[in-house]
Amino acid sequence: MIKYLDLKKVTEAHAAGIKQAVERVVDSGWYLKGAETEAFERAYAAFTGTAHCVGCGNGLDALTLILRAYIEMGVMSPGDEVIVPANTYIATILSITENGLKPVLVEPRADTLQIDDSLIEQAITPRTRALMIVHLYGRCAYTGLVGSLCRAYGLRLIEDNAQAHGLAWHGRRTGSLGDAAAHSFYPGKNLGALGDAGAVTTDDTGLADAVRAIANYGSEAKYVFRYRGRNSRIDELQAAVLAVKLRHLDAENERRRAVARAYIEGVGNPLLTLPGEDYWRESVFHIFPVLCPQRDRLQKYLADNGVETVIHYPIPPHRQQCYASWAPLSLPVTERIHREELSIPCNQTLTDAEVETITGLLNAFGG
């Protein structure tokens, strides 16, 4: 079986460095808010090209903390609107509604699967305070129009960078393109921890300070609580592991892109819609999405032939029970993507022979 993602192999590639890092943390006797966290935050801020990185518990917390900090700073108020792509993972939406804000869903483009920037302006109202773009599947969602609209209407630009660690747009890393960005280091991400972890990056010192305090029970000084905060902190073990893996991220992303290019150049089956050459240039391929009207049959065919795949994601947010009031919404592009998308293996652990096997199977799939 060719696994979708073999996390054991991912970890084994850095085993020596990870074991040294873990041993160093264990021997230190200091497991939270210590030197390892400070070192990783400095390294990741430098990597993304931002002034600040604040570690937290996970990617959802990172998104939620950004919005909560903006509310505490008076930039937003409950009931304000945040424009967001309709085809995102549920965490993006949860962060908005958890803060009493209103998500405004905008359809993606069918070719890029990212938010359609031509539809954003018509979604802006007097209550709109932010645009949250999602670099879904590892592809850049930022465009020049996105930036100009945010400047013209005074909107905060928030990046959900959970799936695009190391991606660059015109020489700038995602995570530095907007006012603030949220990062998830879930084990399966391009930069993954050995458990849950996340971070916020920003050039805004006031925002970084507020996020750090809110994530630490609302405390800016020990036993002094400015905010009604929460507990969301990256631990020393995860920070140390991430620092080891960060040094290899660019090289591993290049391998992902090489695998993706092999698929793009090698698969010619008209029943399948693959990312195009332009897509390849602006992605780090956290996910390689294939669209197929017979998606479920394609998944079974690949499984029967020893290839594990994943669906990202079978049910769009506006069809989830937790947002039942959105059920009447008609979002045909989003619905098609969620109905047809299948993720095939695309990561740095794959061998050339495995890529050739998968390519051959995709070409042999019949209607």
Side-chain angles (χ1 to χ4, degrees):
M1 170 67 74
I2 301 175
K3 291 187 177 182
Y4 175 73
L5 176 63
D6 191 332
L7 287 177
K8 185 177 180 182
K9 287 184 179 179
V10 171
T11 303
E12 284 175 348
H14 312 296
I18 288 173
K19 289 176 182 178
Q20 290 174 5
V22 171
E23 184 176 351
R24 185 174 65 247
V25 173
V26 171
D27 289 347
S28 76
W30 196 284
Y31 308 124
L32 280 171
K33 298 180 65 179
E36 301 289 349
T37 296
E38 292 175 4
F40 173 69
E41 289 178 339
R42 286 194 302 271
Y44 197 62
F47 179 82
T48 57
T50 56
H52 306 282
C53 171
V54 182
C56 62
N58 53 67
L60 173 57
D61 280 2
L63 288 166
T64 305
L65 287 164
I66 291 169
L67 295 173
R68 171 68 187 283
Y70 277 136
I71 290 172
E72 295 290 354
M73 295 166 70
V75 174
M76 301 179 189
S77 300
D80 284 343
E81 296 172 356
V82 178
I83 295 173
V84 66
N87 63 316
T88 187
Y89 180 56
I90 197 71
T92 317
I93 309 293
L94 291 172
S95 70
I96 299 169
T97 57
E98 183 173 333
N99 280 289
L101 302 166
K102 179 182 177 182
V104 177
L105 307 182
V106 170
E107 285 265 68
R109 284 175 46 169
D111 56 342
T112 68
L113 311 184
Q114 308 301 312
I115 191 168
D116 189 336
D117 57 5
S118 71
L119 301 178
I120 292 172
E121 188 167 22
Q122 67 194 54
I124 297 172
T125 76
R127 292 302 302 270
T128 307
R129 296 292 178 268
L131 167 60
M132 185 178 287
I133 58 173
V134 183
H135 304 300
L136 196 67
Y137 308 143
R139 208 257 190 201
C140 188
Y142 184 85
T143 66
L145 181 56
V146 163
S148 64
L149 286 171
C150 288
R151 290 189 294 271
Y153 287 93
L155 306 180
R156 292 298 196 276
L157 177 59
I158 302 167
E159 298 173 76
D160 182 339
N161 199 50
Q163 299 186 5
H165 309 126
L167 180 62
W169 183 85
H170 293 193
R172 294 173 57 196
R173 303 271 193 186
T174 54
S176 70
L177 301 176
D179 296 286
H183 309 257
S184 166
F185 304 122
Y186 180 79
K189 304 297 186 182
N190 290 36
L191 179 61
L194 300 187
D196 268 330
V200 171
T201 55
T202 183
D203 286 331
D204 186 334
T205 300
L207 177 68
D209 289 345
V211 167
R212 191 177 297 280
I214 294 166
N216 187 36
Y217 298 96
S219 174
E220 293 179 318
K222 194 169 185 177
Y223 301 134
V224 179
F225 302 95
R226 179 173 180 178
Y227 308 107
R228 298 179 185 179
R230 60 198 300 164
N231 176 15
S232 180
R233 299 173 297 196
I234 190 171
D235 66 64
E236 290 284 277
L237 283 169
Q238 301 305 337
V241 169
L242 288 167
V244 171
K245 297 179 74 175
L246 178 60
R247 296 193 289 269
H248 306 277
L249 178 58
D250 282 337
E252 291 180 346
N253 281 344
E254 282 305 305
R255 176 56 184 168
R256 284 176 177 264
R257 295 176 77 243
V259 171
R261 187 163 195 166
Y263 290 143
I264 291 168
E265 293 178 348
V267 177
N269 191 329
L271 297 175
L272 311 178
T273 301
L274 274 65
E277 183 69 15
D278 288 343
Y279 192 114
W280 174 85
R281 297 178 195 278
E282 295 188 3
S283 180
V284 290
F285 288 99
H286 171 61
I287 290 167
F288 189 97
V290 174
L291 300 184
C292 178
Q294 301 175 52
R295 189 262 314 280
D296 294 345
R297 198 167 69 79
L298 174 62
Q299 185 175 44
K300 183 178 185 304
Y301 159 79
L302 290 171
D304 289 345
N305 284 277
V307 177
E308 183 181 30
T309 59
V310 177
I311 297 172
H312 294 96
Y313 305 94
I315 305 172
H318 71 286
R319 292 285 187 258
Q320 297 287 351
Q321 185 175 351
C322 59
Y323 294 115
S325 63
W326 296 349
L329 290 176
S330 176
L331 298 166
V333 179
T334 293
E335 289 159 14
R336 180 201 166 204
I337 292 169
H338 285 259
R339 185 171 60 248
E340 297 186 2
E341 193 277 341
L342 185 67
S343 304
I344 64 174
C346 185
N347 60 78
Q348 68 273 19
T349 71
L350 291 172
T351 66
D352 290 345
E354 289 172 328
V355 174
E356 290 176 6
T357 295
I358 295 168
T359 300
L361 288 169
L362 290 174
N363 280 326
F365 177 71

